[in-house]
Amino acid sequence: SLPGEELISPDSPLALLLGALVAEVFPGHGGFLDAAVYDATGISQTRGLRKTSLRLVWPGVVVDSDRAARLRDLLVHRVTCSVEEGGPIAELEAKLCDLSSANQWYSVFSDAPYAGKSSVRMPLSDRVSPLPLRAPERRPLVPVGVLRFAFGGEGKMKVEWLCRQADLDDAEWVKIGCLRQSADAQLTEWSVPSWPGNQPIAPGNSRGRVKVRTAGGSDGGGGLRLKAANRTPAPERAGQLLTVDRRLSGAPDQFCDKMEQHLGKATVEPDGAFVWKQPGGDARIIMHPEDKRVKVVGRPNQVRSLVVIVAPYTEAQAGLGPSGYQQPQHQQGLGPMPNGRLPSAAFAPDAALDADAYGTSDPHALGPQDLADRGTSRIAQQLRKATQGFDAEGQGELGLQEGDIICVTHDPEGDNAGSADRWVYGSNEATGACGWFPLTHTLPFDETSQPQSA
């Protein structure tokens, strides 16, 4: 991936184009515009690739989702035209496409936050990978600085850093980067974007939905939405790419020697990480020497074979479980939240809640009879019996055999009336093994234990 400041900095051609475009669309800027830059570059666990992820927040510009989408479309059009003319933008596109053919401009400038269902992270917040992993990706949205675009006569523009990360405290960066506005907030006056053809740009990450926008930047309050003709959900289950976290048990240079014997010489990323790729595949082993972290990324079958290689030289990381979340000793990025829990631990069961419900801090100290004595309480409904087998295919999943009694300790979608076809986290009452499993493979224990009528 490219370093963030190669894409957005005072001298980068992309920043110059972007500043000129925003000033054109919002002419009442008063001579300058500021843009706060946040960087969440790192390994994307959903794709298993290193991803350069930047967010620009313009505090002096207030838009709604339709205007933001309209501006994004214009930006993609202008960048595409600049590529056809040659020059620095064309050179930048060549670099991006050399890294991945998926780096097309309509996907580089994502429209997911306002054209799809994606939520928008707060500054300094880490991203949590989707089910079944539900683990922090360790790429929080870290402030880089504030760029000031100053506009003079005859179309002249000067770009410089107004401040950098160390110049403001975290509270200020959160305030600057917060996107939410009150319902009665006035939108910034704009000049309606237009270009030849005035056609919608191909969607970025809008999950197959296309919003057809009018020349006024609006979809008419519920405009036409078309389903992509060839959108067929992949038959694979959640977590197509898995990431297994481990820690070195020895010295980094010794680990490098061992991996070189199996996978050849490593490539070194700009952040100092060593990467070994599996021959003929996209799976990889990533080692961060500064804190001895090792990641194995790939599809389940690939991960299993690579874990066999690294296992003699590494130790397993503590995972999410009913006994509570243990903070790694060499945690990168942000520290714990005020209550002492890491961002990902927000998804873990709260021991205090368990203690209130059970009368003990250990829910596994109670047997089925103890739960039955409490009637149809919330905790009783968390005991389930496996009605069919399930083979765990990746790290973090819990295998089931018919008849197993499972205590559900974590159901992130249950509070929101989630679909019955969802993943939940629990522990096997007999073996103590923990992990994610499909809810559809189980039934509530009290239902399965009822005597059958003749």
Side-chain angles (χ1 to χ4, degrees):
S1 64
L2 290 179
E5 293 205 18
E6 188 170 340
L7 293 173
I8 298 295
S9 67
D11 299 324
S12 69
L14 191 58
L16 296 175
L17 185 150
L18 183 59
L21 183 144
V22 175
E24 173 188 330
V25 175
F26 302 99
H29 48 66
F32 71 91
L33 285 167
D34 293 338
V37 183
Y38 297 84
D39 191 341
T41 298
I43 299 296
S44 170
Q45 293 194 17
T46 55
R47 298 184 179 181
L49 299 172
R50 183 172 176 81
K51 174 183 179 182
T52 300
S53 181
L54 299 174
R55 178 191 295 176
L56 272 69
V57 179
W58 304 78
V61 176
V62 179
V63 297
D64 56 14
S65 60
D66 290 321
R67 290 191 178 187
R70 186 73 178 177
L71 184 62
R72 176 260 179 190
D73 286 357
L74 176 62
L75 176 59
V76 173
H77 171 77
R78 290 286 177 85
V79 173
T80 304
C81 291
S82 296
V83 170
E84 295 174 355
E85 297 170 0
I89 296 293
E91 296 173 3
L92 177 59
E93 183 188 72
K95 286 184 180 180
L96 293 173
C97 291
D98 285 343
L99 292 171
S100 172
S101 59
N103 286 333
Q104 304 299 317
W105 290 114
Y106 56 79
S107 56
V108 169
F109 298 107
S110 173
D111 65 350
Y114 36 82
K117 297 181 180 179
S118 299
S119 57
V120 179
R121 272 190 288 160
M122 291 286 288
L124 308 180
S125 298
D126 198 358
R127 186 181 188 276
V128 175
S129 56
L131 288 170
L133 297 179
R134 279 297 189 199
E137 294 197 347
R138 294 192 179 93
R139 51 185 195 98
L141 207 58
V142 177
V144 177
V146 175
L147 282 175
R148 169 154 289 183
F149 298 82
F151 307 99
E154 300 178 354
K156 294 182 178 179
M157 179 177 65
K158 179 181 179 182
V159 187
E160 60 183 353
W161 289 112
L162 185 63
C163 64
R164 300 305 295 264
Q165 178 183 6
D167 297 328
L168 300 175
D169 59 27
D170 289 349
E172 286 295 324
W173 285 115
V174 171
K175 182 179 179 181
I176 294 172
C178 183
L179 305 183
R180 187 178 297 277
Q181 299 288 327
S182 61
D184 58 352
Q186 294 295 314
L187 301 183
T188 303
E189 184 178 353
W190 74 331
S191 174
V192 180
S194 62
W195 59 91
N198 208 18
Q199 296 297 318
I201 301 297
N205 298 318
S206 52
R207 311 299 183 200
R209 187 182 78 175
V210 179
K211 294 183 76 173
V212 180
R213 305 177 185 112
T214 68
S218 169
D219 64 0
L224 180 61
R225 288 167 175 77
L226 305 178
K227 291 289 185 179
N230 59 348
R231 184 177 184 268
T232 303
E236 300 182 39
R237 64 213 237 191
Q240 295 178 2
L241 286 177
L242 299 179
T243 298
V244 176
D245 288 296
R246 299 183 68 88
R247 284 186 51 75
L248 289 180
S249 54
D253 56 347
Q254 295 175 343
F255 182 80
C256 289
D257 293 339
K258 296 295 184 182
M259 293 303 102
E260 189 169 340
Q261 296 174 13
H262 291 279
L263 301 170
K265 199 168 183 63
T267 58
V268 182
E269 296 287 324
D271 63 354
F274 290 75
V275 180
W276 293 268
K277 292 186 177 180
Q278 189 179 47
D282 55 359
R284 66 203 68 203
I285 297 170
I286 305 165
M287 189 268 288
H288 298 271
E290 70 277 5
D291 59 1
K292 293 190 171 183
R293 283 192 298 115
V294 175
K295 285 181 177 289
V296 182
V297 182
R299 300 191 180 277
N301 60 319
Q302 299 170 326
V303 167
R304 281 195 289 269
S305 63
L306 291 181
V307 167
V308 171
I309 296 176
V310 304
Y313 321 109
T314 59
E315 301 170 348
Q317 290 272 57
L320 178 66
S323 59
Y325 183 89
Q326 298 179 357
Q327 181 178 347
Q329 295 298 314
H330 297 269
Q331 176 72 27
Q332 275 194 333
L334 298 177
M337 294 186 290
N339 62 1
R341 302 170 74 184
L342 290 171
S344 65
F347 294 93
D350 194 320
L353 292 178
D354 289 341
D356 291 341
Y358 282 105
T360 172
S361 60
D362 182 9
H364 297 84
L366 298 176
Q369 185 58 46
D370 296 313
L371 294 169
D373 291 342
R374 286 160 173 78
T376 57
S377 67
R378 178 181 64 88
I379 297 302
Q381 294 173 1
Q382 290 186 352
L383 267 186
R384 302 185 71 87
K385 185 175 181 179
T387 56
Q388 56 181 301
F390 167 70
D391 294 327
E393 293 188 3
Q395 190 248 5
E397 297 183 4
L398 176 64
L400 301 177
Q401 293 184 3
E402 186 174 352
D404 284 352
I405 304 300
I406 311 298
C407 179
V408 177
T409 57
H410 181 41
D411 184 6
E413 298 180 25
D415 293 338
N416 299 320
S419 167
D421 186 17
R422 66 181 187 270
W423 290 73
V424 296
Y425 191 94
S427 62
N428 188 306
E429 291 288 283
T431 66
C434 299
W436 296 95
F437 63 93
L439 187 66
T440 52
H441 286 52
T442 65
L443 285 176
F445 180 58
D446 54 353
E447 290 183 11
T448 58
S449 60
Q450 295 295 326
Q452 300 294 318
S453 58

